[in-house]
Amino acid sequence: MDIQNCGGSTVFALLRNPGDGHFADPWGSGESRNIHIDPHDFGFIDVNGDGCMDLFMGLCTGWKVFIQDNCAPPCAGDIDGDGVIGIVDFLALLAAWGPNPGHPADLDGDGTVGIVDFLQLLGTWGPCA
């Protein structure tokens, strides 16, 4: 996207979306205020190869890159979050067995940790893709 901003009076704001429906200006009027007055081009590209889009911003005086951290969706079945679906996840699923709405082991989202969740966990066994 091209924003005709260099030498003009247009102001650009890059807002943070924490996922709760509210947007916030992470820089406000502080030290990086030039982020609002200096950009003229930006594009999205996966700079670090993690599958998530990062932001490349051309400035009137150079450029900046904003890299997203931890933006990849969690691996379904990786209950302990270690990047591998294995025995620890299996044991956590067994410990949560039965009615347990909202538990990470309720992989099918039906409110109960049961055989369908167990089969889903087995079907994705191994390193997260």
Side-chain angles (χ1 to χ4, degrees):
M1 175 175 264
D2 187 19
I3 302 170
Q4 299 298 324
N5 198 36
C6 297
S9 62
T10 306
V11 176
F12 173 77
L14 180 64
L15 303 177
R16 177 176 291 145
N17 177 3
D20 63 1
H22 298 93
F23 294 91
D25 184 347
W27 294 284
S29 59
E31 63 191 64
S32 295
R33 184 72 180 155
N34 68 327
I35 293 298
H36 294 294
I37 59 175
D38 198 23
H40 63 85
D41 291 296
F42 67 92
F44 297 94
I45 184 171
D46 184 7
V47 175
N48 56 356
D50 65 355
C52 300
M53 299 308 285
D54 306 305
L55 176 66
F56 181 87
M57 184 181 292
L59 305 174
C60 298
T61 58
W63 53 272
K64 287 212 181 264
V65 176
F66 298 90
I67 297 177
Q68 294 191 63
D69 292 325
N70 303 318
C71 64
C75 178
D78 183 18
I79 299 166
D80 67 347
D82 68 353
V84 177
I85 299 170
I87 193 68
V88 175
D89 303 301
F90 170 70
L91 294 173
L93 185 138
L94 287 179
W97 199 268
N100 212 334
H103 193 281
D106 182 16
L107 301 177
D108 64 357
D110 69 353
T112 301
V113 177
I115 192 67
V116 174
D117 303 299
F118 170 70
L119 293 173
Q120 197 170 342
L121 184 111
L122 286 180
T124 55
W125 196 268
C128 291

